[in-house]
Structures are given as C-alpha cells and as structure tokens.
C-alpha cells in the first residue's frame, strides 16, 4: 500500500497524466479489489462489520478511480483513504510516503 500510494503521490506532484497516472491508479484499484475479495471469504477472521466496511470502501475506490481517470475528480481523496488506512494499521502514526 505504501509503494502504490507513493507512486500516486509522485504522479500527482509531477502533474502526470496519461499512462503514468493510469498505471498508479490501476495498481491502487487492483489492490483494493484484492482487499475486497479477501473480505468476501468465509475464512476471513475479521468481523462481519469490518469486512463489509472494507468492501464498501473498495467499491468507493473503484468508482472514484473512474472519476479521476475521466478528469472529473482529484486523486487527493484516494490518497487520503490510503493514508488513513496505513495510519490505522500502524497504530495511528503519521504516514506521508
């Protein structure tokens, strides 16, 4: 997650568009798809509520990514979601790149 978020930050800071931006967005979308798929299995040890929340967030990431690719939304919200998740996983420490 850190690597992909770093790629997205670099793309944003360099005002990237086209293939460079799309590659980062695609990798982020794939990562969230994997998270959602993992939460959809019965063997997953997370609570039903947390699994549903992750799946819902992955669906939002998918929709928002399409909007970013279409030039209708900013990448900033995707970055904020990734940073928030990383911070939570690391016990609330600040996550830049």
């Amino acid at each position: 997650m850190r690597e992909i978020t770093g790629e997205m930050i670099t793309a944003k800071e360099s005002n990237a568009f086209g293939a460079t931006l799309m590659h980062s967005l695609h990798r982020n979308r794939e990562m969230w798809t994997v998270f959602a798929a993992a939460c959809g299995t019965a063997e997953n040890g997370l609570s039903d509520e947390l699994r549903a929340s992750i799946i819902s967030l992955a669906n939002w990431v998918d929709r928002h990514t399409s909007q970013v690719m279409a030039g209708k939304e900013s990448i900033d919200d995707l970055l904020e979601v990734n940073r928030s998740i990383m911070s939570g996983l690391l016990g609330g420490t600040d996550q830049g790149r």
Side-chain angles (χ1 to χ4, degrees):
M1 182 173 254
R2 176 181 253 179
E3 179 181 319
I4 291 170
T5 303
E7 286 178 12
M8 291 169 46
I9 291 168
T10 300
K12 177 188 174 190
E13 289 174 350
S14 65
N15 294 317
F17 59 92
T20 301
L21 179 60
M22 297 306 160
H23 176 73
S24 297
L25 291 171
H26 178 70
R27 287 191 68 208
N28 191 60
R29 180 184 266 167
E30 283 183 325
M31 175 183 65
W32 279 98
T33 299
V34 169
F35 292 164
C39 286
T41 65
E43 297 82 25
N44 189 300
L46 299 174
S47 70
D48 289 346
E49 182 180 350
L50 182 54
R51 289 172 38 201
S53 293
I54 293 169
I55 291 168
S56 177
L57 192 52
N59 289 334
W60 177 86
V61 167
D62 184 56
R63 289 188 308 274
H64 194 77
T65 298
S66 294
Q67 295 295 309
V68 173
M69 288 178 167
K72 296 179 180 178
E73 290 289 344
S74 167
I75 197 171
D76 292 336
D77 291 331
L78 294 171
L79 291 171
E80 182 60 31
V81 166
N82 285 10
R83 285 178 173 145
S84 293
I85 296 298
M86 286 188 293
S87 178
L89 291 171
L90 293 172
T93 60
D94 184 33
Q95 286 296 301
R97 281 193 182 183

